[in-house]
């Protein structure tokens, strides 16, 4: 599992009582950014292969992930400027 180191880091961050909410959100943002890049790559791959139906499905996931990234980034901004 390629995500294991990131998942492990995220779990450790959330379980550690000395970690702030802001630090946990930053950890989640790192994982979410990586995930978003993978959706983007898959969308491009299937588009280049001419498999537009599959590309459209990956594009839907990419759009949803992008909204999640925006939300997490906004939370981080709000917490760091409070």
């Amino acid at each position: 599992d390629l995500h294991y180191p990131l998942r492990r880091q995220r779990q450790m961050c959330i379980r550690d009582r000395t970690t702030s909410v802001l630090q946990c959100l930053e950890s989640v943002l790192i994982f979410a950014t990586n995930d978003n890049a993978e959706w983007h790559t898959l969308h491009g791959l299937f588009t280049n292969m001419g498999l537009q139906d599959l590309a459209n499905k990956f594009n839907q996931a990419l759009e949803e992930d992008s909204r999640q990234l925006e939300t997490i980034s906004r939370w981080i901004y709000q917490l760091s400027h409070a």
Side-chain angles (χ1 to χ4, degrees), residues 21-73:
V21 172
L22 179 59
Q23 290 169 322
C24 286
L25 283 174
E26 288 171 339
S27 178
V28 170
L29 182 64
I30 291 168
F31 185 81
T33 301
N34 185 56
D35 196 40
N36 188 270
E38 290 172 350
W39 286 121
H40 183 75
T41 300
L42 288 169
H43 174 260
L45 177 68
F46 285 111
T47 297
N48 291 337
M49 292 174 67
L51 301 170
Q52 201 56 45
D53 288 344
L54 284 173
N56 290 340
K57 290 180 182 181
F58 285 113
N59 191 52
Q60 290 171 352
L62 176 61
E63 288 174 0
E64 183 178 322
D65 255 23
S66 295
R67 285 190 297 275
Q68 291 173 357
L69 277 175
E70 289 173 15
T71 299
I72 295 166
S73 295

